[in-house]
Amino acid sequence: MKNYQELIEDIYLDLKKVDDIGKVANYIPELALVDPNNFGASITTINNENFGVGDFSKKFSIQSVTKILSLTLAYKLEGEKLWERVDVEPSGKPFNSLLQLEADFGKPRNPFINAGAIVVCDVLFSHLKNPKKDFLNFCKEISNNDTLNYNKKIADSEKSAGFRNIALCNFIKSFGNIKNSVGEVLDFYFHICSLEMTCKELSEIFLYLTEDHFITKKGNTVITESQTKRINAIMLTCGFYDESGEFAFRVGLPGKSGVGGGIIAIHPNKYCIAVWSPKLNKKGNSYKGMLFLERFTSKTTSSIF
Ligand code: GLU
């Protein structure tokens, strides 16, 4: 078998020729300005070897990929009580749907749809003294990367057009499942979605999900073995909106996408891979990103199944 570097270069060059039928997300005005031709991928192994191709060292807005990080911190702080506030079932609905919340009395189906991620932000808001700063510090510690930051322009842009999220948060609050101020929780949510990373940084920060006992450079445990298993399980079943089944079917790894066009996927005990291509398919997942990962796990015959 070719090595990872050769493999990702082959896949990249092949996919460069493929016509991209996706569309860049434009419901957040600032995201619509991104060059749609950006395309890159990076893989980091558990031994910290890194391989990259294309635009793998350009920063972009990770959007919903951040929901893994917020879930991790909330689970760490709140423990099993977290599941009283948010469920762990695939929703089978678009990421920003309001539909199920009424029937489910304001308890979101999972932490990766917007409703669930907003509740997770509320949980964090109750625990953290300075939520935006503390969340960022958590991300910096687990990645050993001090350069991470929010993109205020993108956060403000989403705030100015985030009508569905504003509706979701108010609706959940009416059921008592948001404890803090709607405005403050949403401001926090928009900021964590605006976090910027490169593919390389993404493939490094999520290494903690590839191992049972990941220890940060500062010597701290991130989460327990059981929590690692559970977060991977939720990624596999709920990480791609109402296309989670399709991603598991085609790629066979736990992962998470974002409307910025980024996707990360975890191969337990092997690697974390990140890919970025801003044009999204109809379900909101990166069109070429999914193709890239499908080819990668096929060529390496390495999936969790
Ligand atoms: N900030 C985005 C929103 O709430 C995230 C969506 C996503 O990446 O799935 O709409």
Side-chain angles (χ1 to χ4, degrees), residues 27-28 31 62-65 67 95-96 112 114 118 158 165 189-190 193-194 241 256-260 284:
Y27 74 101
I28 300 173
L31 282 189
I62 71 167
Q63 290 298 319
S64 278
V65 179
K67 291 173 182 169
F95 66 101
N96 55 6
F112 292 154
N114 286 9
I118 290 170
E158 183 165 11
N165 288 323
Y189 172 78
F190 294 140
C193 287
S194 79
Y241 320 118
K256 179 81 200 83
S257 62
V259 294

Side-chain angles (χ1 to χ4, degrees), residues 51-104:
F51 308 91
V53 70
D55 299 311
F56 73 101
S57 49
K58 259 195 201 172
K59 297 238 188 214
F60 64 96
S61 180
I62 71 167
Q63 290 298 319
S64 278
V65 179
T66 202
K67 291 173 182 169
I68 312 170
L69 299 163
S70 50
L71 171 65
T72 301
L73 185 56
Y75 198 10
K76 183 180 172 74
L77 296 170
E78 185 84 357
E80 299 309 313
K81 267 178 39 211
L82 180 64
W83 312 120
E84 292 168 16
R85 306 274 306 274
V86 57
D87 217 332
V88 293
E89 290 298 337
S91 72
K93 293 272 177 292
F95 66 101
N96 55 6
S97 172
L98 282 127
L99 219 59
Q100 290 163 335
L101 275 176
E102 173 101 66
D104 293 344

